[in-house]
Each structure stands twice: as C-alpha cells, then as structure tokens.
Amino acid sequence: SDESGRDGAVTAVVADLTDPGQVGAVVDAVGERAVDAVVNNAGGFLGGSTDSLDGVADWWRANLDANVLTAVLLTEALLPALRRPGGRVVLLSSIAAQRGGGGPYSAAKAALHGWAYDLAAQLGPDQITVNVVSPGYVAETEFFGDRMTPEGHAKRVAATLVGRAGVPDDIAAAVSYLVGPSAGYVTGQVLGVNGGSVLGR
C-alpha cells in the first residue's frame, strides 16, 4: 500500500534513465520503502546511420545508452534500497544477444549478461538474486513497429520448436517467477524464453 493506505496503488514516475540527474526522481519516489525487485525493461532497437564514423558512433552510443546504461543507472541507484535478504534484480535481454543479427542492439543486450554475472556475485552474500530474461520473437508488441511483414512473422515462428510466436504473458510469467519466492536459489542465470529458437547453453 502507498502512504495513503490504498492497496495496489501505482504511481508513475517519468524519467530519462540515461540521464543520471533524472534517475533521482525514481529514488525519491521510493522514499524510505524497501524495494523488493528491480525489473529493467527499458530499451529497444534504435536505428542509425552508417554513412560516417560519427554516425556509427552515435548509433552504437544510442543503443548502449537505451539498453545498458538505463539498467545500470536505475539498478545502481536503487541498490541501497533493495530488500536484504530477498531482493531481486531482473534484466531484459534478447535472443539477439545469443545469436546476433542486431548489430549494436545485440552487443548491448549481450553486455547485460556479463554485468548480471558480476552483479549476482556482488549481491549474492546479501541474498539478492540477479537474473536475465532473454525473449525470442514476441508478437503483439511495438518492438518491430511497421517493419514486421507476414513473411518475417512466419520465418520467426518457423524457427521455434513450438510453432508459435511468443506473447507478452510468456515474458511476464518468466519475470514473475524470477522476482517471486520460488526463485530464491536461482541467480546469475540467463532464462531464454524463445520457444526453442535458441537452445540453452
């Protein structure tokens, strides 16, 4: 419940998480409360120019900022408030981190894996878990915008072992498990939720 005693009340905080100065607004909204879980779901594939080295640098920085820096700054800012024991950190990656195909987006999502391993080792003694959810193709989202064609959809579905696209509830269920009490012995893991299009390693 919030300060007014209303159960289930949700307060939205708008902040550019690539800007350290704005991350403080989230910390302020948390106040003195303990944080049970930090789920880093910001990011996405950002297009860019490869016409010059300046364009390439801007493209890579934009993807690293949106997919890595947002997670790092938010998590670092909330670390002191994470519940000890029992806090959870979940990072949202992508199948692109494991098989490529997204240039700077793939590299940025893969960076989350390495950072999650470091963070899991750092926070393990406090009984805080850190894990990564790595979705495959998920329909019914805005990720592809108007770039998805019927052929692209069919190709991605055919690449799965289960013969269907993922849906947002598939990813939500994985996150729910990792932030819940049943996952207290799971840390430093990358959970692929991709219908078998990339097998576990």
Side-chain angles (χ1 to χ4, degrees):
S1 64
D2 67 7
E3 289 109 331
S4 67
R6 292 178 295 161
D7 287 329
V10 175
T11 302
V13 177
V14 177
D16 177 353
L17 297 181
T18 65
D19 178 356
Q22 293 189 42
V23 176
V26 179
V27 176
D28 292 344
V30 168
E32 298 300 317
R33 292 172 290 181
V35 173
D36 294 315
V38 178
V39 179
N40 291 286
N41 192 33
F45 178 85
L46 303 177
S49 170
T50 57
D51 293 343
S52 67
L53 286 179
D54 285 338
V56 169
D58 289 344
W59 182 35
W60 277 73
R61 284 190 188 106
N63 275 277
L64 290 168
D65 282 357
N67 293 285
V68 180
L69 193 60
T70 54
V72 170
L73 292 180
L74 181 63
T75 303
E76 290 290 331
L78 292 176
L79 278 184
L82 268 172
R83 187 174 303 283
R84 289 165 170 80
R88 305 281 191 256
V89 177
V90 177
L91 308 171
L92 270 292
S93 178
S94 168
I95 195 172
Q98 296 159 294
R99 70 173 185 198
Y105 173 75
S106 296
K109 290 302 191 181
L112 293 175
H113 298 197
W115 181 55
Y117 302 148
D118 286 346
L119 203 56
Q122 174 189 338
L123 299 177
D126 290 332
Q127 299 292 304
I128 295 171
T129 65
V130 181
N131 292 288
V132 177
V133 173
S134 182
Y137 173 53
V138 178
E140 303 174 22
T141 72
E142 298 174 2
F143 182 82
F144 287 98
D146 58 2
R147 297 172 296 157
M148 181 53 66
T149 63
E151 295 78 19
H153 172 82
K155 177 182 173 185
R156 286 168 176 80
V157 168
T160 71
L161 300 179
V162 297
R164 71 168 178 89
V167 295
D169 282 350
D170 293 321
I171 309 310
V175 171
S176 180
Y177 163 68
L178 289 173
V179 301
S182 298
Y185 198 54
V186 178
T187 194
Q189 302 302 309
V190 177
L191 177 57
V193 185
N194 59 44
S197 52
V198 168
L199 300 180
R201 323 192 195 305

